[in-house]
């Protein structure tokens, strides 16, 4: 798919840079502990509870440790789902993932029976309808799961929302012990000139490295500058798709979003002619047989599946050549 040896490449400095939206997301998973477990389990039942501190104050949400003595807190106290706005701000243009899809208020709400305020959304027709001292009550989602979002939002009025008693047998579900919170950020990423050239080369089945002058270190992927000297990379080279495994890890533990069944190997591959290794998968060999110095070659996806990404290479596999001598890659670990 690419050259058998390093060869110089000319890139067009007038070609516009690549730009595309980039979304990073993951689910943050945490164990909530014994105290917050009671808080989230109560929310699942459309109830709100706090915890009493050493000075008698009731904290909502519950504080796991006393802010005065720093001792662990344990005394759970029921509070009302009605409260008073202590302070607020108006959200004129709601963002994706926020509680309401129309303008609303963010407010610190001191629930009746509590001494510390809870941050949540307040639904109101306009900012003129909200004010410090306003009385509000919780509006619950139809099917609570044991999360703060079981309160869809607060709405104006001091009348507590009726909560229907569960039909049939009592709730025998286990207490809530784990919270999963989706987290995401989306940006518009505009690639630099070398990065754009590197990505366009990948779309053509080529691996593009860069260096400063004719005797500088060759970096793959190509980047703006030599990280050791700060000098601009101005000489670009097409590298072969063969290289040497320098270091590697055997992945044995499954995780969310994993696309390959463990065990499998992620390795740093030093392409022939490059001075820095990059991370990729090693396949077509038992994980226990992968080793430092092993010679490997790229296995490319079918050409009609190539895009602007390094995953045009599906994985690397052993070439069958003798292992590289340690001295040839010891400075690239």
């Amino acid at each position: 798919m690419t050259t058998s040896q390093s060869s110089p490449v000319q890139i067009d400095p007038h070609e516009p840079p690549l730009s595309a939206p980039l979304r990073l997301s993951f689910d943050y998973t945490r164990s909530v502990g014994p105290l917050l477990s009671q808080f989230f389990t109560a929310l699942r039942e459309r109830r709100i509870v706090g915890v009493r501190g050493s000075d008698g104050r009731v904290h909502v949400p519950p504080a796991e440790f006393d802010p005065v003595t720093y001792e662990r807190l344990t005394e759970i106290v029921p509070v009302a789902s009605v409260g008073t706005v202590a302070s607020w701000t108006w959200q004129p243009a709601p963002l994706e993932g926020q509680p309401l899809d129309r303008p609303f208020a963010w407010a610190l709400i001191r629930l009746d029976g509590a001494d510390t305020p809870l941050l949540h959304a307040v639904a109101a027709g306009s900012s003129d309808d909200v004010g410090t001292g306003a009385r509000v009550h919780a509006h619950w989602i139809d099917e609570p799961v044991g999360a703060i979002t079981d309160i869809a939002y607060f709405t104006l009025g001091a009348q507590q929302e009726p909560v229907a008693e569960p039909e049939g047998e009592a709730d025998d579900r286990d207490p809530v012990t784990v919270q999963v919170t989706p987290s995401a950020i989306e940006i518009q990423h505009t690639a630099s000139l070398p990065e754009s050239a590197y990505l366009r080369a990948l779309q053509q089945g080529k691996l593009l490295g860069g260096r400063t002058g004719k005797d500088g270190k060759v970096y793959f992927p190509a980047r703006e500058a030599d990280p050791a000297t700060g000098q601009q990379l101005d000489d670009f080279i097409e590298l072969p798709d063969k290289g040497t495994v320098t270091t590697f890890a055997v992945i044995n533990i499954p995780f969310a979003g994993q696309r390959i069944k463990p065990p499998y190997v992620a390795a740093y591959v030093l392409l022939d002619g490059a001075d820095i290794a990059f991370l990729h998968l090693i396949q077509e060999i038992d994980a226990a047989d992968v080793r430092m110095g092993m010679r490997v070659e790229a296995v490319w996806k079918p050409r009609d599946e190539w895009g602007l990404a390094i995953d045009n290479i599906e994985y690397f596999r052993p070439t069958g050549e003798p292992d590289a001598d340690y001295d040839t890659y010891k400075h690239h670990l």
Side-chain angles (χ1 to χ4, degrees):
M1 297 298 177
T2 186
T3 182
S4 60
Q5 59 184 9
S6 302
S7 57
V9 174
Q10 293 294 323
I11 64 173
D12 184 358
H14 303 294
E15 196 165 22
L18 295 170
S19 185
L22 176 64
R23 182 179 178 84
L24 303 174
S25 61
F26 70 98
D27 289 341
Y28 177 67
T29 304
R30 63 160 290 189
S31 172
V32 298
L35 185 70
L36 289 176
S37 173
Q38 296 181 71
F39 174 68
F40 290 119
T41 301
L43 288 174
R44 191 174 65 188
E45 300 167 357
R46 295 187 175 92
R47 299 183 295 110
I48 305 175
V49 299
V51 67
R52 193 181 306 279
S54 62
D55 57 0
R57 290 186 303 159
V58 175
H59 301 274
V60 179
E64 295 181 271
F65 296 90
D66 194 302
V68 177
T69 66
Y70 313 118
E71 297 293 327
R72 186 180 294 276
L73 296 177
T74 58
E75 184 185 349
I76 293 294
V77 180
V79 299
S81 60
V82 176
T84 302
V85 172
S87 62
W88 62 280
T89 187
W90 190 247
Q91 178 81 36
L95 304 175
E96 180 185 354
Q98 290 188 330
L100 292 158
D101 59 3
R102 60 185 185 275
F104 67 94
W106 286 112
L108 287 171
I109 301 163
R110 186 174 292 107
L111 298 174
D112 294 352
D115 295 289
T116 59
L118 170 76
L119 177 65
H120 217 295
V122 175
S126 74
S127 59
D128 295 334
D129 299 330
V130 189
T132 300
R135 297 285 285 166
V136 294
H137 64 271
H139 173 68
W140 300 88
I141 64 174
D142 293 335
E143 298 182 3
V145 296
I148 191 61
T149 48
D150 290 345
I151 302 174
Y153 50 83
F154 283 78
T155 190
L156 296 169
Q159 185 66 39
Q160 182 169 306
E161 187 174 282
V163 176
E165 293 294 328
E167 298 180 2
E169 298 181 0
D171 190 344
D172 60 355
R173 291 175 292 178
D174 291 334
V176 177
T177 58
V178 172
Q179 284 281 299
V180 180
T181 305
S183 177
I185 184 172
E186 187 165 336
I187 62 172
Q188 185 72 22
H189 175 66
T190 299
S192 64
L193 174 63
E195 184 184 3
S196 295
Y198 157 75
L199 294 172
R200 288 190 176 103
L202 281 172
Q203 196 171 35
Q204 300 170 16
K206 300 177 180 179
L207 303 178
L208 190 68
R211 63 186 176 187
T212 300
K214 299 298 182 183
D215 56 356
K217 289 186 176 181
V218 176
Y219 291 94
F220 177 85
R223 58 197 68 189
E224 276 292 319
D226 185 322
T229 66
Q231 291 181 301
Q232 182 179 354
L233 301 186
D234 54 11
D235 189 42
F236 297 93
I237 305 161
E238 182 183 348
L239 297 168
D241 60 0
K242 287 186 178 182
T244 300
V245 171
T246 58
T247 59
F248 65 94
V250 180
I251 287 77
N252 290 296
I253 301 173
F255 55 84
Q258 197 170 36
R259 293 181 290 178
I260 304 173
K261 184 179 179 179
Y264 62 92
V265 175
Y268 277 96
V269 177
L270 181 67
L271 295 176
D272 295 346
D275 289 290
I276 189 169
F278 77 107
L279 189 64
H280 217 295
L281 298 171
I282 306 294
Q283 293 188 18
E284 295 191 29
I285 182 174
D286 190 282
D289 294 330
V290 177
R291 56 202 179 273
M292 295 172 65
M294 187 174 70
R295 295 285 295 160
V296 291
E297 63 186 0
V299 175
W300 295 74
K301 291 180 178 178
R303 193 180 189 95
D304 58 2
E305 296 181 20
W306 290 356
L308 297 161
I310 191 61
D311 63 2
N312 291 350
I313 297 177
E314 198 161 3
Y315 55 85
F316 281 78
R317 66 184 177 195
T319 64
E321 299 171 285
D323 289 356
D325 187 271
Y326 177 69
D327 287 339
T328 64
Y329 64 87
K330 67 181 182 182
H331 297 298
H332 305 287
L333 301 178

